[in-house]
Amino acid sequence: MTAVPSALIPWLDPNTLLGGVFGPVALLVVCAIVFAETGLLVGFLLPGDTLLFFTGVLAVGGKFGIDIWWVCLAISFAAFLGGEVGYLIGHKLGPRVFERRESGLFSVRNVERTNAFFERFGALAVIMARFVPIVRTFAPIAAGVGHMNYKKYSLYNAIGAIIWGSGVTLLGYGLGQIPIVKEFAEM
Protein backbone atom coordinates (compact mmCIF):
# COMPACT_ATOMS: atom_id res chain seq x y z
CA MET A 1 0.00 0.00 0.00
CA THR A 2 1.42 3.39 -0.96
CA ALA A 3 1.52 6.40 1.32
CA VAL A 4 -1.20 9.03 1.02
CA PRO A 5 1.08 11.79 -0.33
CA SER A 6 2.38 9.60 -3.15
CA ALA A 7 -1.19 8.50 -3.95
CA LEU A 8 -2.25 12.13 -4.23
CA ILE A 9 0.83 13.33 -6.08
CA PRO A 10 2.59 10.25 -7.58
CA TRP A 11 5.50 12.18 -9.09
CA LEU A 12 6.62 13.22 -5.57
CA ASP A 13 7.17 9.59 -4.59
CA PRO A 14 10.96 8.93 -4.62
CA ASN A 15 10.38 5.47 -6.12
CA THR A 16 8.51 7.05 -9.03
CA LEU A 17 11.11 9.77 -9.48
CA LEU A 18 14.09 7.48 -9.35
CA GLY A 19 12.56 4.35 -10.82
CA GLY A 20 12.01 3.53 -14.45
CA VAL A 21 9.73 6.49 -15.14
CA PHE A 22 12.54 8.92 -15.89
CA GLY A 23 15.19 6.34 -16.82
CA PRO A 24 18.62 7.76 -17.60
CA VAL A 25 17.67 11.36 -16.81
CA ALA A 26 16.74 10.54 -13.20
CA LEU A 27 19.80 12.36 -11.83
CA LEU A 28 18.90 15.49 -13.79
CA VAL A 29 15.39 15.32 -12.35
CA VAL A 30 16.83 14.98 -8.83
CA CYS A 31 19.09 17.99 -9.45
CA ALA A 32 16.19 20.05 -10.82
CA ILE A 33 14.12 19.26 -7.74
CA VAL A 34 17.01 20.15 -5.41
CA PHE A 35 17.53 23.40 -7.30
CA ALA A 36 13.83 24.29 -7.10
CA GLU A 37 13.65 23.35 -3.44
CA THR A 38 16.54 25.59 -2.46
CA GLY A 39 15.99 28.54 -4.77
CA LEU A 40 12.51 28.98 -6.15
CA LEU A 41 10.20 29.33 -3.13
CA VAL A 42 8.46 26.04 -3.91
CA GLY A 43 10.79 23.92 -1.82
CA PHE A 44 8.43 23.24 1.01
CA LEU A 45 6.38 21.16 -1.47
CA LEU A 46 9.30 18.96 -2.53
CA PRO A 47 10.82 15.81 -0.93
CA GLY A 48 14.45 17.01 -0.59
CA ASP A 49 15.97 14.90 2.20
CA THR A 50 14.00 11.79 1.31
CA LEU A 51 14.87 12.17 -2.36
CA LEU A 52 18.60 12.55 -1.63
CA PHE A 53 18.57 9.60 0.73
CA PHE A 54 16.86 7.32 -1.82
CA THR A 55 19.13 8.63 -4.56
CA GLY A 56 22.07 7.34 -2.51
CA VAL A 57 20.38 3.98 -1.87
CA LEU A 58 19.58 3.53 -5.55
CA ALA A 59 23.07 4.61 -6.63
CA VAL A 60 24.37 1.40 -5.03
CA GLY A 61 22.54 -0.58 -7.70
CA GLY A 62 23.92 1.60 -10.50
CA LYS A 63 20.57 3.26 -11.36
CA PHE A 64 22.34 6.39 -12.60
CA GLY A 65 25.17 4.74 -14.52
CA ILE A 66 27.85 6.91 -12.86
CA ASP A 67 29.98 6.76 -9.74
CA ILE A 68 28.46 7.97 -6.45
CA TRP A 69 30.97 10.84 -6.25
CA TRP A 70 29.61 12.30 -9.51
CA VAL A 71 26.07 11.91 -8.16
CA CYS A 72 27.07 13.80 -4.98
CA LEU A 73 28.85 16.50 -6.99
CA ALA A 74 25.83 17.05 -9.25
CA ILE A 75 23.41 17.26 -6.33
CA SER A 76 25.70 19.59 -4.34
CA PHE A 77 26.13 21.84 -7.38
CA ALA A 78 22.35 22.00 -7.92
CA ALA A 79 21.85 22.87 -4.22
CA PHE A 80 24.52 25.57 -4.46
CA LEU A 81 22.98 27.10 -7.59
CA GLY A 82 19.53 27.03 -6.01
CA GLY A 83 20.87 28.86 -2.96
CA GLU A 84 22.52 31.47 -5.16
CA VAL A 85 19.33 32.08 -7.13
CA GLY A 86 17.33 32.30 -3.89
CA TYR A 87 19.78 34.88 -2.53
CA LEU A 88 19.57 36.94 -5.72
CA ILE A 89 15.76 36.82 -5.70
CA GLY A 90 15.75 38.05 -2.11
CA HIS A 91 18.37 40.69 -2.80
CA LYS A 92 16.73 42.10 -5.94
CA LEU A 93 13.01 41.67 -5.27
CA GLY A 94 12.80 41.44 -1.49
CA PRO A 95 13.38 45.08 -0.55
CA ARG A 96 10.72 46.26 -3.04
CA VAL A 97 8.17 43.83 -1.59
CA PHE A 98 9.00 44.82 1.99
CA GLU A 99 8.94 48.56 1.25
CA ARG A 100 5.56 48.31 -0.51
CA ARG A 101 3.71 46.34 2.19
CA GLU A 102 4.17 47.37 5.79
CA SER A 103 2.15 44.63 7.47
CA GLY A 104 2.78 41.31 9.17
CA LEU A 105 5.59 39.45 7.47
CA PHE A 106 6.35 42.30 5.10
CA SER A 107 7.92 45.11 7.09
CA VAL A 108 11.12 47.11 7.26
CA ARG A 109 11.45 45.97 10.88
CA ASN A 110 11.55 42.33 9.77
CA VAL A 111 14.25 43.15 7.21
CA GLU A 112 16.27 44.74 10.00
CA ARG A 113 15.76 41.64 12.18
CA THR A 114 16.84 39.43 9.31
CA ASN A 115 19.95 41.56 8.86
CA ALA A 116 20.81 41.25 12.53
CA PHE A 117 20.19 37.50 12.51
CA PHE A 118 22.55 36.89 9.60
CA GLU A 119 25.16 39.24 11.09
CA ARG A 120 25.11 37.25 14.32
CA PHE A 121 24.67 33.68 13.05
CA GLY A 122 25.68 34.06 9.38
CA ALA A 123 27.73 30.94 8.66
CA LEU A 124 25.85 28.63 10.98
CA ALA A 125 22.44 29.90 9.83
CA VAL A 126 23.18 29.36 6.13
CA ILE A 127 24.83 25.96 6.61
CA MET A 128 22.35 24.51 9.11
CA ALA A 129 19.34 25.78 7.16
CA ARG A 130 20.06 23.06 4.61
CA PHE A 131 18.98 20.43 7.10
CA VAL A 132 15.59 21.98 7.97
CA PRO A 133 13.07 21.41 5.15
CA ILE A 134 11.07 24.67 5.06
CA VAL A 135 13.96 26.79 6.32
CA ARG A 136 16.24 25.67 3.46
CA THR A 137 13.71 27.18 1.04
CA PHE A 138 13.48 30.58 2.73
CA ALA A 139 16.98 31.09 4.21
CA PRO A 140 18.66 32.06 0.91
CA ILE A 141 15.92 34.57 0.17
CA ALA A 142 16.08 35.94 3.72
CA ALA A 143 19.87 36.30 3.39
CA GLY A 144 19.34 38.27 0.18
CA VAL A 145 16.62 40.46 1.69
CA GLY A 146 18.84 41.07 4.72
CA HIS A 147 21.74 42.01 2.41
CA MET A 148 24.11 39.48 3.94
CA ASN A 149 27.59 39.94 2.46
CA TYR A 150 27.39 38.07 -0.87
CA LYS A 151 30.91 36.60 -0.78
CA LYS A 152 30.37 35.26 2.73
CA TYR A 153 26.93 33.96 1.83
CA SER A 154 28.29 32.16 -1.24
CA LEU A 155 31.05 30.51 0.79
CA TYR A 156 28.59 29.33 3.46
CA ASN A 157 26.11 28.31 0.79
CA ALA A 158 28.78 26.15 -0.90
CA ILE A 159 29.76 24.51 2.38
CA GLY A 160 26.13 23.83 3.29
CA ALA A 161 25.33 22.51 -0.20
CA ILE A 162 28.25 20.07 -0.10
CA ILE A 163 27.58 18.87 3.44
CA TRP A 164 23.83 18.47 2.87
CA GLY A 165 23.79 17.33 -0.77
CA SER A 166 26.66 14.88 -0.47
CA GLY A 167 26.12 13.95 3.17
CA VAL A 168 22.49 12.85 2.92
CA THR A 169 23.16 11.10 -0.40
CA LEU A 170 26.18 9.27 1.03
CA LEU A 171 24.16 8.30 4.09
CA GLY A 172 21.68 6.60 1.75
CA TYR A 173 24.53 5.06 -0.21
CA GLY A 174 26.01 3.65 3.00
CA LEU A 175 22.68 2.19 4.04
CA GLY A 176 22.30 0.79 0.53
CA GLN A 177 25.41 -1.34 1.13
CA ILE A 178 23.51 -3.48 3.68
CA PRO A 179 22.61 -6.67 1.77
CA ILE A 180 18.89 -6.68 2.55
CA VAL A 181 18.55 -2.99 1.61
CA LYS A 182 20.59 -3.50 -1.55
CA GLU A 183 18.38 -6.40 -2.54
CA PHE A 184 15.25 -4.32 -1.91
CA ALA A 185 16.63 -1.37 -3.93
CA GLU A 186 17.39 -3.57 -6.92
CA MET A 187 13.80 -4.85 -7.15
Side-chain angles (χ1 to χ4, degrees):
M1 187 168 167
T2 58
V4 173
S6 64
L8 296 174
I9 309 172
W11 59 271
L12 285 179
D13 180 17
N15 289 323
T16 301
L17 289 170
L18 300 175
V21 174
F22 293 109
V25 295
L27 183 58
L28 291 176
V29 172
V30 169
C31 289
I33 289 170
V34 167
F35 174 83
E37 181 181 25
T38 58
L40 299 180
L41 280 176
V42 294
F44 53 90
L45 298 173
L46 301 171
D49 295 325
T50 306
L51 184 62
L52 295 185
F53 187 79
F54 280 110
T55 298
V57 170
L58 294 175
V60 172
K63 295 273 186 192
F64 304 105
I66 59 174
D67 189 62
I68 185 65
W69 299 109
W70 289 108
V71 172
C72 290
L73 180 66
I75 290 170
S76 296
F77 186 66
F80 173 76
L81 285 179
E84 294 296 298
V85 168
Y87 178 92
L88 293 173
I89 288 171
H91 187 73
K92 297 291 182 189
L93 301 178
R96 284 186 228 138
V97 169
F98 282 90
E99 288 168 3
R100 220 179 324 149
R101 278 181 80 184
E102 268 294 327
S103 64
L105 209 63
F106 301 99
S107 69
V108 174
R109 175 101 169 100
N110 283 344
V111 172
E112 290 168 356
R113 284 185 189 159
T114 303
N115 244 343
F117 178 79
F118 281 107
E119 282 296 319
R120 185 167 179 202
F121 300 108
L124 189 60
V126 174
I127 294 168
M128 295 308 293
R130 292 285 180 180
F131 295 91
V132 183
I134 294 173
V135 176
R136 87 172 132 253
T137 301
F138 293 106
I141 294 162
V145 168
H147 297 290
M148 181 178 187
N149 178 286
Y150 181 69
K151 287 180 183 180
K152 285 182 179 181
Y153 171 80
S154 290
L155 173 64
Y156 305 146
N157 180 35
I159 293 167
I162 291 167
I163 293 171
W164 176 70
S166 296
V168 175
T169 305
L170 287 172
L171 188 63
Y173 187 78
L175 182 66
Q177 301 296 324
I178 299 171
I180 194 167
V181 176
K182 187 175 184 177
E183 183 179 311
F184 179 75
E186 291 175 351
M187 292 170 80

